Amino acid sequence: MQAGGAITRRNYSFLCRPESQQPADVDWSALFDDPSKPLVVDLGCGAGRYILLMAHRQGPGKNYLGIDVHKALLDRANGWAAARRMSGHVRYLQAHAVLSAGQLLGCYPGAVELVSVQYPDPQQRRQRHMVGRELVEALARVLKPGARVYLTSDFEDTAAYMRNAFERYGGGCFRVDDEVHTTQRVFPCTPLTPPGAAAVADVGSGVAATGALAGTPVPATALKPPLEGEGGESGGGLSHGTIGNGGVCEGGGSGNSNAATVGAWSERHRGDSGGEEEEDLLAFQGSWQEAGWLEENPVGAPTEREVYVEKASKGRVYRVLLVRR
């Protein structure tokens, strides 16, 4: 993150603890009154207010689940749900979202309707990015056709990185939701600078100095640190090498591969040491960028950060909605 103009690294060593990696087997009947209802999931839910607002607006016809590693935030959010008599269909679980998504969502009795990843930390080094190959392949395995994935950030390169990860690693299992992207207002994606020629922002003038964005205004939100406690589960991603041919749908494995993933991730990221870099997905030349970014929220409930960025700072939010084929 940026602090006083300098790049500092957060210590995510607590993510190597067993309790931060995988939850115990979930008894869905004990968690929800009716586990056969469609499920809405927010990965890296932070303070959890988005899930509460979504449940309030859409009603008890669905179940709502927030997943994060920060127990104190989740305990408070579960208390909010109980105080509002919503705990029968709104719950929060402590788990490492990347390592647990396949296990948790794969055993849910009902249909998983929507998975959202919102405002993960816009990290300079992406080996710990929440959305990467492991998460994309896990969701491709367990989500059924028609399930949707909502990705959003107020940093365009972060949103593009997440979108490109699904196009690159999804094995053809996902597509941009054309129904939404053609009926709602969109704005075009900015051509991003490839690795080795990153744009340098002149903070004083607010103008990109070099690279593909040279001479263009830098959004005000790009010069501000992320809000505490809101958005994605920072540090949730894993590092990978490049992958070969074949995708999840055609040649991907089935079942739960979390145990091996936990061990590999723990060894790679023990303490605050770095890992091997994942290929830079900002350099990936896919076709989904042609669909543009959604001008308005397509899921019916904003996060606090979205309200702050668009209303208070007059910034821009970058949104894309995907659907499982």
Side-chain angles (χ1 to χ4, degrees), residues 95-282:
H96 189 296
V98 177
L99 304 179
S100 302
Q103 174 191 0
L104 286 172
L105 304 185
C107 68
Y108 182 70
V112 179
E113 182 177 278
L114 175 69
V115 177
S116 61
V117 181
Q118 305 183 74
Y119 305 94
D121 279 352
Q123 299 171 61
Q124 300 297 319
R125 298 183 65 187
R126 289 182 169 79
Q127 70 265 32
R128 291 186 177 90
H129 203 293
M130 181 177 177
V131 177
R133 181 177 178 180
E134 276 84 350
L135 180 62
V136 172
E137 291 186 346
L139 293 180
R141 284 194 301 270
V142 302
L143 295 183
K144 304 300 182 185
R148 285 173 166 77
V149 177
Y150 177 51
L151 308 171
T152 181
S153 175
D154 54 328
F155 288 80
E156 186 171 16
D157 64 341
T158 300
Y161 190 94
M162 294 191 290
R163 178 202 62 207
N164 290 353
F166 275 86
E167 186 174 8
R168 174 69 175 89
Y169 299 128
C173 294
F174 297 94
R175 61 175 176 82
V176 174
D177 192 332
D178 297 330
E179 181 179 348
V180 173
H181 277 258
T182 56
T183 58
Q184 294 191 15
R185 290 184 299 173
V186 298
F187 59 95
C189 301
T190 303
L192 296 173
T193 305
V200 178
D202 182 342
V203 177
S205 64
V207 174
T210 63
L213 303 181
T216 60
V218 176
T221 53
L223 307 179
K224 298 180 180 180
L227 296 181
E228 180 180 357
E230 181 59 35
E233 179 182 66
S234 56
L238 310 179
S239 63
H240 333 282
T242 57
I243 64 173
N245 295 328
V248 176
C249 288
E250 296 79 16
S254 59
N256 180 15
S257 61
N258 283 353
T261 304
V262 168
W265 190 90
S266 298
E267 289 301 318
R268 197 177 298 161
H269 295 288
R270 191 166 302 281
D272 194 33
S273 60
E276 59 182 285
E277 295 277 352
E278 181 181 83
E279 63 176 293
D280 195 329
L281 291 173
L282 294 182

